[in-house]
Amino acid sequence: MIRTGNQYRDSIRDGRRIWINGERVTDVTKHPMFKPLVDIRARIYDMAHEPATQDVMTYEENGERFAVGLKLPYTQQDWHDKRRATDVVLDDIKGVVTRVGDETVGEMWSLFDGKDVLNEVDPRFAENIERHINLVIKNDPFHVSANTDPKGDRSKRPQEQDPDMLLHVVKETDAGIVVRGAKYETAAAYANQAFTKPTIANWGDDKLSEYAVGFICDLSSPNLRFICRTGFAGRAPAEDYPLSNKFDEIDTLVVYDDVLIPWENVLFYQHTRAAAFIRATLHRYSAFAFVQRNLKLADMMIGAALWNVKQTGLEKQQAVQEKLAELACYRAGIDAHLTAAIANAERSPAGLLMPNQTFLMTGRVFACSQLHHMMHIARELCGGQICVTPDAASFRDPEAGKWLNKYYTLNDEWHADDRRKLLAFARDLLNSDYAGHRLTFQLFAQSPPFAHLAAVYRNFDWNEPLRFTKEAAGLSDRVYGRPKAAAE
Ligand SMILES: Cc1cc2nc3c(=O)[nH]c(=O)nc-3n(C[C@H](O)[C@H](O)[C@H](O)COP(=O)(O)OP(=O)(O)OC[C@H]3O[C@@H](n4cnc5c(N)ncnc54)[C@H](O)[C@@H]3O)c2cc1C
């Protein structure tokens, strides 16, 4: 099934308890700080129905249509199709949003790969993940990701402080488990369900196994509270802050105040090995869609910088060209990692096709760790005018506007209005609250930088450099020890 935008809007008008700026939100689909993103998510649903985009956004099986982004990947073509559908969405909305479903759904496929681990404790859990993956395809919900707890004092164990600092099970009933705690979740206030699982923290101790729990949380459940950070939309006019007003994905502290999770939604419980498995494999699929977003951020940085130097006649300067070339290396580098990840894709334990893990995880480090440097280069090329340019209202003022039109018109092609628009766009991309937020999002939202590097360490094949160096340096076979092992 593919839902319509309005079916999605109806699904989140469920009386959920949401706060923002200290106010209770009555209708999340209409509130000015949520509406832009709800409308984009609704637009993505509608694109699955529109003749111009239906074939890219959906596939047909037994006479029914389903979303391409939710399809289990078995072939390289499946990955090309997913990549294309995401590009078509970002082109349509003319900006970047990440947490709209296609990026988060892959986390469930990682647990699907761990069916054998789940079976160790209870075969019901392996059945549950398989059923939920199929339900997502069948029902087309907006699915998000919940990992990060407030965590508290990391030098203490959970039971040595407020035990709710990490989400845990407080009770078992015939109907299911009752959970208490809190998670930071982008988009949860306007989504349908979250794959909730342990964070990177001290849950791995057997004695604390009520913390080793994973489940699908229906975000309409009673006893959830959504306490959101303030939004960027509506704080200043859209013509001055075009990205802040349209593409702010609101993050939420979701409080689980004794929430009943039915047994059919429990994916693992009291199972530290399953918790360790999912932490180690969580992004083996979803990193692809995450890194793909950096490609579009690169497009916007290159575009803003290049249009600016074209406007001002600076693009002939060699020093300017070198900076543009650095931005191009960044973009092409990400593209190459994604393309190589599909070309060298690997079969997963459950028989799915994973993007090549070395290319994907090194690509994620490259894309995320260099983003601040690329923003710096783009900011330098756009120049200080992104900071100092007056707002659109001043350009319209009969007296001030005359001066602004004089000083912002460059020649016959570049009139003040286009120059103002470009500078406002570049300011919001590189210099605003929203720009800083976006940078932090790319750095942290799919786990922090140290975890990105840990994923590279786990996936890189260390054996070949060891073999080559052993032979080049003439080392004896003794260095391998017994049994022969990779670097640890
Ligand atoms: C904009 C945004 C959106 C987000 N969206 C989501 C979401 O939708 N769902 C979700 O679950 N989470 C989300 N997150 C949370 C994100 O995953 C966490 O911020 C991240 O996991 C780090 O946790 P923390 O913020 O508690 O930092 P901390 O754990 O306090 O870590 C801070 C720093 O301490 C160091 N550090 C901490 N622990 C270690 C360690 N074990 N080894 C080495 N160094 C360490 C690192 O330098 C790390 O960057 C989001 C974050 C941001 C900023």
Side-chain angles (χ1 to χ4, degrees):
M1 176 182 116
I2 40 172
R3 294 204 291 183
T4 63
N6 280 338
Q7 283 170 335
Y8 155 63
R9 287 190 182 94
D10 287 344
S11 75
I12 53 173
R13 283 193 198 106
D14 51 8
R16 56 182 70 192
R17 283 183 283 181
I18 306 173
W19 286 263
I20 195 165
N21 293 344
E23 284 169 25
R24 183 76 189 271
V25 175
T26 45
D27 184 345
V28 72
T29 67
K30 298 207 172 116
H31 188 284
M33 284 183 171
F34 295 95
K35 186 174 183 309
L37 247 294
V38 171
D39 286 349
I40 284 178
R41 188 63 189 91
R43 169 81 193 128
I44 297 170
Y45 279 118
D46 287 336
M47 285 174 74
H49 295 268
E50 287 181 4
T53 43
Q54 182 167 70
D55 287 346
V56 177
M57 299 295 295
T58 64
Y59 65 99
E60 203 178 313
E61 208 167 87
N62 301 327
E64 209 182 333
R65 286 209 168 262
F66 304 98
V68 155
L70 307 178
K71 187 181 186 202
L72 280 167
Y74 286 103
T75 64
Q76 286 172 325
Q77 190 58 45
D78 287 335
W79 282 105
H80 291 302
D81 293 346
K82 288 175 189 299
R83 186 175 180 174
R84 181 142 168 262
T86 301
D87 276 339
V88 165
V89 166
L90 301 184
D91 276 353
D92 183 89
I93 63 169
K94 300 179 183 57
V96 172
V97 289
T98 302
R99 211 127 283 177
V100 286
D102 65 301
E103 180 249 349
T104 37
V105 71
E107 293 183 352
M108 286 204 288
W109 307 338
S110 298
L111 192 60
F112 185 61
D113 281 339
K115 278 192 298 184
D116 291 348
V117 179
L118 300 183
N119 276 332
E120 283 172 10
V121 166
D122 188 336
R124 273 184 310 173
F125 295 154
E127 285 163 27
N128 284 351
I129 184 66
E130 193 158 354
R131 199 181 59 257
H132 272 289
I133 284 171
N134 290 325
L135 281 175
V136 161
I137 296 170
K138 185 163 166 255
N139 298 333
D140 201 15
F142 178 11
H143 173 94
V144 295
S145 167
N147 313 288
T148 309
D149 310 71
K151 301 180 192 168
D153 182 342
R154 257 52 77 67
S155 69
K156 291 184 177 150
R157 290 150 62 96
Q159 78 270 36
E160 291 164 353
Q161 54 184 317
D162 182 337
D164 305 341
M165 283 294 177
L166 296 179
L167 184 135
H168 60 125
V169 177
V170 289
K171 200 162 69 174
E172 274 183 53
T173 71
D174 289 346
I177 52 175
V178 176
V179 299
R180 188 183 299 165
K183 295 274 185 187
Y184 291 100
E185 300 172 36
T186 304
Y190 49 93
N192 299 118
Q193 65 175 48
F195 176 15
T196 311
K197 56 243 178 260
T199 189
I200 308 167
N202 189 10
W203 45 261
D205 184 329
D206 274 336
K207 292 183 201 123
L208 308 176
S209 60
E210 72 268 26
Y211 292 90
V213 60
F215 53 88
I216 298 295
C217 184
D218 176 348
L219 295 170
S220 300
S221 303
N223 298 350
L224 286 175
R225 288 180 184 80
F226 302 81
I227 308 172
C228 306
R229 68 155 168 85
T230 190
F232 299 115
R235 294 208 316 211
E239 47 196 345
D240 294 315
Y241 290 90
L243 303 176
S244 304
N245 276 285
K246 200 165 169 203
F247 302 111
D248 180 26
E249 303 184 68
I250 302 274
D251 312 288
T252 303
L253 181 70
V254 182
V255 177
Y256 297 69
D257 181 21
D258 289 1
V259 175
L260 174 70
I261 308 296
W263 283 115
E264 60 268 25
N265 290 356
V266 178
L267 303 177
F268 56 90
Y269 168 43
Q270 294 185 323
H271 193 359
T272 51
R273 219 164 90 73
F277 177 85
I278 192 63
R279 280 294 358 151
T281 61
L282 188 61
H283 300 128
R284 64 163 51 150
Y285 302 97
S286 62
F288 191 94
F290 189 75
V291 174
Q292 194 178 343
R293 266 58 180 196
N294 285 68
L295 210 49
K296 284 285 179 204
L297 291 173
D299 280 339
M300 292 198 288
M301 289 189 289
I302 294 170
L306 187 53
W307 279 123
N308 184 62
V309 295
K310 277 174 169 295
Q311 278 188 352
T312 53
L314 288 167
E315 90 260 39
K316 303 275 178 330
Q317 304 276 344
Q318 192 186 337
V320 167
Q321 291 176 355
E322 280 176 16
K323 289 191 176 70
L324 286 167
E326 275 200 65
L327 289 172
C329 289
Y330 178 69
R331 196 211 185 274
I334 298 170
D335 195 4
H337 276 92
L338 292 175
T339 305
I342 298 179
N344 297 281
E346 306 165 69
R347 202 51 66 189
S348 84
L352 304 179
L353 194 72
M354 301 188 288
N356 179 280
Q357 294 294 287
T358 296
F359 288 126
L360 185 58
M361 296 308 166
T362 52
R364 185 170 67 172
V365 168
F366 174 67
C368 297
S369 67
Q370 297 307 303
L371 180 58
H372 69 284
H373 183 45
M374 297 303 132
M375 288 176 79
H376 180 72
I377 293 174
R379 187 189 295 119
E380 207 182 319
L381 285 175
C382 288
Q385 289 192 22
I386 62 173
C387 271
V388 297
T389 295
D391 57 10
S394 299
F395 278 77
R396 282 194 299 271
D397 181 82
E399 190 173 345
K402 268 197 291 192
W403 295 106
L404 292 174
N405 277 315
K406 171 180 164 68
Y407 287 114
Y408 279 84
T409 296
L410 302 173
N411 51 37
D412 284 348
E413 288 84 42
W414 289 108
H415 290 202
D417 191 44
D418 279 330
R419 177 129 186 89
R420 183 201 64 73
K421 280 185 184 159
L422 181 70
L423 291 168
F425 180 88
R427 172 176 54 202
D428 217 6
L429 181 67
L430 304 166
N431 213 48
S432 64
D433 279 7
Y434 169 80
H437 181 85
R438 191 78 224 175
L439 174 64
T440 309
F441 183 94
Q442 292 307 120
L443 208 58
F444 276 98
Q446 231 188 43
S447 70
F450 77 85
H452 292 186
L453 284 166
V456 170
Y457 189 84
R458 279 194 302 273
N459 286 290
F460 185 76
D461 181 2
W462 300 99
N463 288 314
E464 182 54 19
L466 285 179
R467 181 200 66 76
F468 186 73
T469 306
K470 173 184 167 289
E471 286 177 17
L475 306 181
S476 74
D477 287 342
R478 279 195 308 277
V479 294
Y480 278 127
R482 291 229 182 265
K484 184 174 159 184
E488 299 211 332

